[in-house]
Amino acid sequence: MHRLINSISLHFKKVSSFSVKDKPLPFPQVAMPVHVFKMLGVETLFVTNAAGGLNSSYTIGDIMIVKDHISMPGLTTDNPLTGFTNERFGEQLPALPELYDSGLRELAWSVVGELGLQKMVREGTLVQVGGPSFDTVSVFNMLRRLGADCVGMSSAPEVTVARHCGIRVFGLSLVTDMAPMESDLPPTNHQEILQTAEVRARDVQKLVCEMIKRLPNNNTSST
Ligand SMILES: O=P(O)(O)O[C@@H]1C[C@H](O)[C@@H](CO)O1
């Protein structure tokens, strides 16, 4: 354990020294905690987020199992692996197929069936924007045209780093609101998002806990 703590603190020191002249690299802010998970032996990462529905067949309160993501910040050089030089965790120019593990998605669907949640569960593509402001009607329509089913402000960078260093990932988005696709619709409202999250928290918790119980070599059957 002592050696592990030493190597973690060494990693923090090495990585936190990264910076370019005008801003710290995104790498340390996202990758470090994920690399600490890796060093602690974590094999599977679950990520959840609140997202706005873009797909008109979705409704508020739906749970979307994330099949893939589009990272808008990542497309504009804000990639969590920027400045990455330590091949200890993975190659420098990686391809990252199947970011969201297909086996975990199949497991999710079998648990959804047993919990009777089928009617409110989807599977689709999450697009992550930088935030913190909500986007305009034109941006929401653009994101839908890009193939996204819902839009959030987190998950993509930590998933990228986790997959890069060999941690399996499962992601789910709670559709807390429907993104306004017409200018005469009410704007996104954070209070509505919090309320939906409150209402659906128990179902999300049941799904995640039941999945964790069934992960291979997991002895949490008592939870
Ligand atoms: O932490 P997440 O991404 O779930 O938080 C969502 C996105 C925004 O931060 C906020 C919008 O209300 O909730």
Side-chain angles (χ1 to χ4, degrees):
M1 192 61 178
H2 190 64
R3 218 181 40 233
L4 175 64
I5 290 172
N6 266 351
S7 73
I8 288 175
S9 57
L10 190 65
H11 181 63
F12 268 85
K13 278 199 197 82
K14 255 197 246 170
V15 165
S16 52
S17 62
F18 280 164
S19 71
V20 290
K21 60 181 176 1
D22 53 352
K23 66 172 184 168
L25 289 171
F27 173 70
Q29 292 155 16
V30 172
M32 260 196 297
V34 176
H35 284 164
V36 170
F37 292 158
K38 181 70 178 175
M39 288 192 264
L40 290 170
V42 169
E43 294 170 354
T44 304
L45 176 70
F46 279 49
V47 292
T48 63
N49 57 68
L54 297 168
N55 183 327
S56 59
S57 69
Y58 287 18
T59 50
I60 292 176
D62 282 355
I63 294 171
M64 186 186 83
I65 295 169
V66 183
K67 185 175 186 180
D68 200 359
H69 73 227
I70 300 168
S71 168
M72 298 308 281
L75 295 178
T76 55
T77 73
D78 194 358
N79 184 309
L81 298 179
T82 302
F84 179 80
T85 56
N86 184 342
E87 295 232 338
R88 170 181 177 185
F89 292 106
E91 56 185 286
Q92 280 207 340
L93 299 171
L96 298 174
E98 199 176 299
L99 281 171
Y100 297 85
D101 186 88
S102 55
L104 291 173
R105 287 187 276 123
E106 280 159 31
L107 171 62
W109 278 112
S110 65
V111 172
V112 161
E114 287 173 35
L115 296 178
L117 296 175
Q118 303 88 320
K119 286 199 176 62
M120 55 189 79
V121 177
R122 320 281 178 172
E123 183 164 324
T125 299
L126 168 71
V127 60
Q128 174 173 336
V129 293
S133 58
F134 295 114
D135 288 297
T136 64
V137 167
S138 303
V139 167
F140 287 137
N141 280 281
M142 175 195 78
L143 296 175
R144 180 60 187 144
R145 286 194 182 88
L146 290 177
D149 296 292
C150 56
V151 50
M153 296 184 194
S154 67
S155 298
E158 50 270 35
V159 166
T160 300
V161 177
R163 181 72 184 79
H164 177 246
C165 65
I167 296 177
R168 284 188 320 169
V169 177
F170 174 76
L172 69 79
S173 296
L174 177 63
V175 181
T176 49
D177 58 294
M178 288 306 289
M181 307 300 265
E182 304 289 339
S183 48
D184 59 354
L185 290 172
T188 309
N189 175 307
H190 189 52
Q191 290 315 311
E192 177 195 351
I193 289 168
L194 296 177
Q195 280 156 18
T196 311
E198 190 66 36
V199 167
R200 303 284 281 120
R202 187 85 192 95
D203 288 323
V204 172
Q205 195 181 24
K206 270 193 283 185
L207 171 55
V208 169
C209 290
E210 204 45 49
M211 285 182 69
I212 289 172
K213 280 182 198 166
R214 303 184 194 196
L215 289 177
N217 56 50
N218 188 336
N219 55 6
T220 57
S221 49
S222 55
T223 50

